[in-house]
Amino acid sequence: MSNLPESRTSRVSVRLIAIQILVFSLLLTLGGRLWYLQIRNGTEYATEARNNHVQQVIEPATRGSILDARGVPLADNQTRLVVSASRTELLKMKDDGKAVLGRLAKVLGMSEKEIRNKVRLCDSKTPQPCWNGSPYQPIPITDEATTQQALQIRERSEDFPGISAEPTAVRRYAAPGDANTAQVLGYLSPVTDEEIKKAEHSRSPLLRSDQIGRSGLERTYDDALRGKAAVTRYEVDNLGRVIGQAKSEKGKAGASVVTSIDARVQGLAEKQLDQAMKDARKEHDRNTGTNYKADSGAVVVMEAKTGRVVAMASNPTYDPNAWVGGISGKDYAHLTGKDSNYPLLNRAIQGQAAPGSIFKVISTAGAVNAGYDFNGHYPCTSSYSIGGQTFKNFESQSHGAISLGRALEVSCDTVFYRLSHDEWRKDGGDKPKKDAKNWFYKTAHQFGLGKETGIDLPNEVTGRVPDRKWKNAFWKANKAGWCEQAKAWPKKKDFGTKLAREGCLEGMKLHAYDSINYAIGQGDTLVTPIQMATIYGAISNGGTLYNPTVGKAVISPDGKHIQRVKPQSHGRLPVTQKTLHQMDGALAGVATRGTAAWRFGGWPQDKIPMHAKTGTAEVYGKQTTSWFATYTKDYTIVMTISQGGTGSGASGPAVRNIYNALYGVDEKGGIDPKAALLPRPEAKLPKIESDGAIQSQPIKPYAPPSPSPSASESPR
C-alpha cells in the first residue's frame, strides 16, 4: 500500500490523464494532417513534387520565311553568334551582376550603360532600350558577336557567369533588289508574360523563349510562321543531377508564307516614290512662297482582277533589321519620334488624307444614282457662290456646258459643286427630311469608304465619310472644347476661334459648304491609298470590290501542304454596267486628253488602254496633297504625296515609270515583252521541292527609262 497521501495520489492521476489526452490529441492532429497531405491532396502534392524536380530545355523553332511571288526571300533566318545574359543568374550575385556586365562590355566593345539598359525590364516608366520579354528568359545583348569575342566568353566562363555565346538562328530581312518592304513585313519582339497567360488555352500557346510578330505580315501570319519549339524535360535530384528524362515535346519548324509581292516591282516602287518626293521638294509652291515639303507618301500596285498587292511602299521608311536582337535606344527614338515623321506607319493602309479630285468617280456615280444623266449638259463655270462664299475652279478655268464624263476629264469642280448643292437642298438642307436620300454620301459607303478594305495586314484605318450621322457624333464629342474656346469671341477673331464658335453653335449641322466641298473630295473626307486602289481596281475589273491581299499561300515546312489565300470580294460598285462603261471611257480620256495626258505622252494607248484620275487636295495649314489614281486591264496604281503639290505634277512621272517596267514600254512607246517585269498577273506559286525548299529566282534592281513629258493640259 502506497505511503503517499490520498490527495497527492489523485493529483498524480489527474496529471497522467491530462498528459495522455494531450499526447492523444497531438497524435490525432498529426494523423489527420498526414491523411490530408497523403490521401486527400496526395496526388496534387506528388505532382508538384515531381514538377519541382523537372527541368526543361527549350529549343526554339526555326521561324518560317516570307517569300515574294517568285520565291525570293523577303524575310528569312541566318545563323549569328548571339551573346545573351541570364537576368536570374545576375541577380543572385552580390552586386546584381554589375562586375560581370562591366567585363562583358570591354569584350564586346560596348558601353556598360548600353548593356545594363538592355537587361533591365520594361515598364510604363522605362524608356527603350529595355527587355519586354520574360525575366526568366535569356536576354540577347548582341547578335553581331565575332568568333573571337564568343571564344573569350566561353573560355573564360568563370569570369562571365550567367553569360552565354551561342550560334543562333535570327531573323533577317533580306531586301532583295533593294526591296525594303519594311511596313509590309513588320518586325518581331519577345513575348510578354501577359501574352503567355492570354494564350494559355489557345490552339497556339506561347513559350517564354518565343518571338512574335508585332506588325505587318509577321503579325498577321504569326501562328503559321512561328512553328512550335521543341521542349526536352529532364528529371533531376535536389543537387541538380539528371536522373532521367520526362515527357518531352517535339518541335516543328514554322511554315513559309508566299506573298503576291514581286520584289523587283517593290524595289522599283520604293525608289520611284522616294525620287518623286525628292523632285517635289525642288518645286516652288506659289501659295506658300516656299518649296514643297513632300514629307510623306505611299504607293500601291495591285492586280485589278484579284485585289492581290504586287507592291506597297510607304515613305519615310526604315530598316526592319533594327529590331533583330533587341533595338537600340537611338533606333527606337528615331522610329517613334516626331522628327522622323513616324516611319513605322504603313501609310498605304494607315495614312488618311482628303482625296481631292480622285474622289470624283464616287461623286459621278452618286449623281447618276440620284437621277442625273451622265451625258447631260452641266455648266462648268470658273466659280460657284453660296451664302456669300465663292468657290473657284482650278485656276478659274471655265469649259462651258459639259457632260459628267468631260467633267472627270478636265476635273471641273463647279459641275460637282452644283450637283451636290442641289441634292443637299432636296434632302432638306440644314433641316434634313426624314426620307433624305443622301445619294452622294450613301454612294461613298457603297464604294467601301468609311470602313476597312479587309486587307491581311493589321491596324488598317477606316477613313471617314462625313455624312450627317458622323457630323452629329463629331459635334457631341467636341462641343465642350469648342464652346470653351469660343468664349474668346468677339475679342479674339482669328480663324481658329471663328471655327470653334461655329462648331459650338452649329457643329451638328451639315452645311451647304460641307456638302459641296465633299463632292470634290475635300473638307472632312478622309481616305487611304488602299481604299482608292480597291475602288479603281473595281472600275477596271467590271465592278467587283476585292479584299486586298498580300499573302498568297501558306506552305508547310515539308512542302506537302499548301493553304492558298484566295481572293475574296466584299461587294460590288453601286452602278450599272452602262455607267461603269461610261466612267471607264472618261477615265481613259483623262490619260489621253485630260489632266493626266501630259504624263502619258507616247504611251501605247491602242495596245494597253490607260485610265487615270488626278487629285490635288487642299489641307488647312499645310501644302496640297498630290494624288494619282490609274489603272489598266491588269493593274491599278495609286500614289499619294503629302505636301507634294499637284496630282500628276508630283506623282505622275513615278507612276509612269512603274507602268513602263510592268509592261516593258520604252521611251518611244514600244513594247518589249521580254523586258516586262510582270508579263501576266496572277502568277503561279514558286516551285516547291520535295524537301520543302522553294526554288527562287535571281533578282537585281530594275531601272526603267524615264519618258519625256509632252505638253498638254494643266497638271492637276
Side-chain angles (χ1 to χ4, degrees), residues 234-300:
Y234 296 98
E235 293 183 1
V236 297
D237 60 17
N238 58 353
L239 297 178
R241 294 173 298 193
V242 176
I243 58 176
Q245 187 167 333
K247 183 179 179 181
S248 300
E249 298 173 13
K250 292 183 178 181
K252 182 180 179 182
S256 292
V257 174
V258 178
T259 71
S260 54
I261 298 290
D262 187 296
R264 300 167 302 173
V265 184
Q266 177 69 30
L268 176 65
E270 291 175 9
K271 289 179 182 178
Q272 290 298 323
L273 175 61
D274 186 62
Q275 189 60 51
M277 292 171 63
K278 289 178 180 177
D279 291 343
R281 295 181 194 125
K282 299 175 184 177
E283 298 297 321
H284 192 69
D285 180 4
R286 289 178 294 177
N287 295 324
T288 63
T290 60
N291 286 5
Y292 288 107
K293 295 180 180 179
D295 54 356
S296 63
V299 60
V300 176

Side-chain angles (χ1 to χ4, degrees), residues 477-547:
N478 293 278
K479 179 184 177 182
W482 285 338
C483 292
E484 181 64 29
Q485 186 179 350
K487 290 179 180 179
W489 188 272
K491 292 182 179 180
K492 188 177 181 182
K493 293 188 176 182
D494 62 295
F495 186 69
T497 305
K498 181 181 178 181
L499 284 179
R501 182 172 180 268
E502 183 180 302
C504 175
L505 299 175
E506 298 183 331
M508 79 296 292
K509 296 181 179 180
L510 185 70
H511 297 284
Y513 60 80
D514 290 323
S515 194
I516 69 169
N517 268 326
Y518 165 78
I520 63 166
Q522 296 280 182
D524 293 313
T525 309
L526 293 176
V527 301
T528 63
I530 194 66
Q531 287 176 326
M532 299 313 294
T534 301
I535 287 171
Y536 277 84
I539 298 174
S540 170
N541 68 37
T544 301
L545 289 161
Y546 281 106
N547 298 357

Side-chain angles (χ1 to χ4, degrees), residues 19-37:
I19 292 171
Q20 289 173 349
I21 292 172
L22 179 62
V23 171
F24 180 76
S25 298
L26 290 173
L27 290 173
L28 185 63
T29 301
L30 181 61
R33 183 61 178 167
L34 289 172
W35 175 86
Y36 181 82
L37 293 175

